[in-house]
């Protein structure tokens, strides 16, 4: 098939193409005279990301996928080209490298406009050139919006995955691994120093009784209420974590034993006055109101430990002592 001999079957596609928006039939025919047909088999790469290019394309039939490479080597389709759409124009207009890899996902027919012919149209038919450039600008704005949405979604997905890796799903508090990494990092970076650092190890009292009477859902509601108390009672920069089940911990940077004791007592007071609505029965029916108390063990560095492991152990022993001494109390680690 020779240049300038585009069959009439293409006319409906071309007249509906965003590239020719605002062009008269006579103006479209003037551009068509410069188009060359091309066939692409399924799986054939039209051009690759990063390559230079001197042609733009209009898809007549079939489907083209546009893929971009992630830093990790994976690929992601940012949009699909449908009949009538054009692509590859920025390499022609701005001499830019190809921004994506375009591949035929089914057997497809395209029309090619070489860069030298595009500029011949612009210089020999300036009114047509202005209309083409305006159409290209309009479509570019749409594509930029699509790419921006994709990048925004990618950032949100990444943030969601990051939060899932460091947070407890039920309460939204940090998880054990994040707490331990934060504690170790502070010791390894030598930032504990004279300012001190404290750890509260916390266990809810008689939570098994709530679980037995009000079911797992009742226990979950208690855990969520406990997390809310910790958020409102602690300070910005404190790290509240749910370790497992009814066990929680709070890492208090720049906090000595006396200050940590005050915070722990405040948590005990604020938690026990909470009225938590839970199911009346273990099968989830009805409603009931419960309150829960907590036992807390407090340990500080350098008073009780000089590394993360020893601080963790000292706080855990203090918690055990608190629970063995009638619960609902704060116990300081032994020096």
């Amino acid at each position: 098939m020779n240049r300038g001999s585009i069959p009439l079957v293409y006319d409906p596609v071309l007249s509906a193409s965003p590239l020719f928006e605002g062009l008269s039939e006579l103006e479209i025919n003037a551009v068509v005279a410069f188009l060359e047909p091309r066939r692409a088999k399924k799986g054939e790469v039209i051009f690759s990301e990063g390559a230079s290019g001197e042609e733009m394309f209009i898809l007549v039939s079939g489907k083209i996928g546009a893929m971009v490479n992630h830093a990790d080597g994976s690929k992601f389709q940012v949009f699909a080209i449908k009949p009538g759409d054009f692509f590859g124009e920025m390499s022609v207009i701005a001499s830019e490298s190809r921004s994506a890899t375009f591949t035929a996902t089914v057997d497809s027919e395209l029309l090619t406009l070489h860069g030298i012919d595009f500029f011949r149209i612009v210089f020999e038919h300036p009114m047509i050139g202005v209309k083409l450039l305006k159409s290209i600008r309009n479509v570019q704005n749409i594509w930029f919006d699509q790419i921006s949405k994709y990048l925004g979604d990618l950032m949100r997905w990444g943030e969601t995955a990051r939060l899932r890796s460091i947070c407890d799903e039920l309460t939204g508090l940090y998880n054990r691994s994040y707490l331990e990494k934060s504690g170790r990092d502070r010791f390894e970076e030598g930032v504990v120093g004279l300012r001190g650092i404290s750890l509260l190890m916390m266990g809810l009292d008689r939570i098994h009784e709530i679980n037995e009477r009000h079911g797992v859902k009742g226990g979950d509601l208690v855990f969520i209420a406990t997390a809310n108390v910790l958020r409102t009672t602690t300070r910005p920069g404190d790290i509240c974590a749910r370790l497992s089940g009814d066990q929680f911990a709070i890492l208090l940077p720049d906090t000595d034993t006396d200050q940590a004791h005050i915070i722990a007592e405040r948590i005990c007071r604020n938690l026990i006055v909470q009225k938590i609505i839970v199911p009346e029965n273990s099968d989830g029916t009805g409603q009931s109101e419960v309150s829960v108390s907590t036992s807390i063990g407090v340990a500080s560095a350098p008073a009780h430990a000089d590394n993360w492991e020893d601080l963790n152990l000292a706080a855990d022993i203090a918690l055990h002592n608190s629970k063995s001494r009638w619960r609902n109390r704060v116990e300081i680690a032994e020096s």
Side-chain angles (χ1 to χ4, degrees), residues 62-80:
K63 189 175 181 181
I64 306 292
M67 310 288 291
V68 296
N69 293 312
H70 288 172
D72 62 3
S74 61
K75 298 180 183 295
F76 193 90
Q77 180 169 307
V78 287
F79 45 78

Side-chain angles (χ1 to χ4, degrees), residues 117-331:
D117 291 330
F118 175 83
F119 287 110
R120 281 183 62 188
I121 295 171
V122 171
F123 289 114
E124 294 178 9
H125 307 280
M127 290 305 298
I128 296 177
V130 168
K131 291 179 180 180
L132 290 176
L133 290 170
K134 182 178 179 180
S135 297
I136 289 172
R137 180 201 64 188
N138 291 340
V139 171
Q140 281 290 323
N141 288 339
I142 294 173
W143 284 9
F144 285 148
D145 287 343
Q146 291 177 335
I147 293 173
S148 295
K149 181 179 182 302
Y150 160 70
L151 293 175
D153 289 344
L154 191 63
M155 291 177 64
R156 285 190 291 273
W157 294 335
E159 179 62 11
T160 298
R162 186 188 72 85
L163 290 175
R164 284 180 176 173
S165 71
I166 64 175
C167 291
D168 172 62
E169 186 174 355
L170 176 65
T171 63
L173 298 180
Y174 290 114
N175 57 25
R176 180 188 294 273
S177 62
Y178 183 82
L179 175 82
E180 292 184 346
K181 183 179 185 306
S182 299
R184 286 194 180 92
D185 286 349
R186 281 168 169 78
F187 279 96
E188 291 173 0
E189 292 167 4
V191 297
V192 174
L194 296 176
R195 297 178 300 180
I197 187 171
S198 294
L199 178 65
L200 308 185
M201 199 68 75
M202 174 178 163
L204 301 182
D205 298 332
R206 298 189 173 89
I207 190 65
H208 64 280
E209 296 176 7
I210 292 176
N211 282 329
E212 288 177 358
R213 179 172 179 180
H214 304 284
V216 174
K217 184 177 180 181
D220 286 348
L221 291 170
V222 169
F223 299 149
I224 292 170
T226 301
N228 291 334
V229 168
L230 295 182
R231 289 189 187 95
T232 57
T233 305
T234 55
R235 310 158 302 180
D238 294 341
I239 298 174
C240 301
R242 182 185 180 210
L243 304 184
S244 64
D246 67 326
Q247 288 199 327
F248 297 79
I250 305 96
L251 186 65
L252 305 173
D254 304 331
T255 306
D256 61 22
T257 305
D258 291 339
Q259 294 169 319
H261 190 191
I262 292 171
I263 294 172
E265 292 282 5
R266 186 161 65 236
I267 291 172
C268 284
R269 290 194 304 271
N270 289 0
L271 180 59
I272 200 169
V273 298
Q274 296 294 310
K275 301 303 180 183
I276 307 167
I277 304 299
V278 298
E280 174 67 32
N281 304 300
S282 59
D283 60 5
T285 59
Q287 280 191 343
S288 183
E289 190 176 77
V290 300
S291 60
V292 65
S293 63
T294 185
S295 300
I296 300 178
V298 179
S300 303
H304 307 112
D306 57 9
N307 59 68
W308 168 252
E309 285 72 18
D310 288 348
L311 181 66
N312 196 52
L313 178 60
D316 195 48
I317 293 173
L319 170 62
H320 177 75
N321 291 337
S322 176
K323 281 186 171 292
S324 66
R325 294 168 184 170
W326 303 107
R327 301 180 173 86
N328 189 30
R329 57 178 286 127
V330 177
E331 192 75 21

Side-chain angles (χ1 to χ4, degrees), residues 13-24 27-28 31-32 35 56-59 82-90 93 111-113 118 121-122 127-140 142-143:
V13 175
L14 295 179
S15 61
S17 173
L19 181 63
F20 297 130
E21 184 177 356
L23 270 67
S24 67
E27 290 171 328
I28 293 175
V31 177
V32 166
L35 299 179
M56 60 183 293
F57 304 89
I58 304 172
L59 181 62
K82 63 183 184 300
D85 288 346
F86 61 92
F87 59 97
E89 70 282 356
M90 293 310 295
I93 297 172
L111 297 173
T112 303
L113 179 61
F118 175 83
I121 295 171
V122 171
M127 290 305 298
I128 296 177
V130 168
K131 291 179 180 180
L132 290 176
L133 290 170
K134 182 178 179 180
S135 297
I136 289 172
R137 180 201 64 188
N138 291 340
V139 171
Q140 281 290 323
I142 294 173
W143 284 9

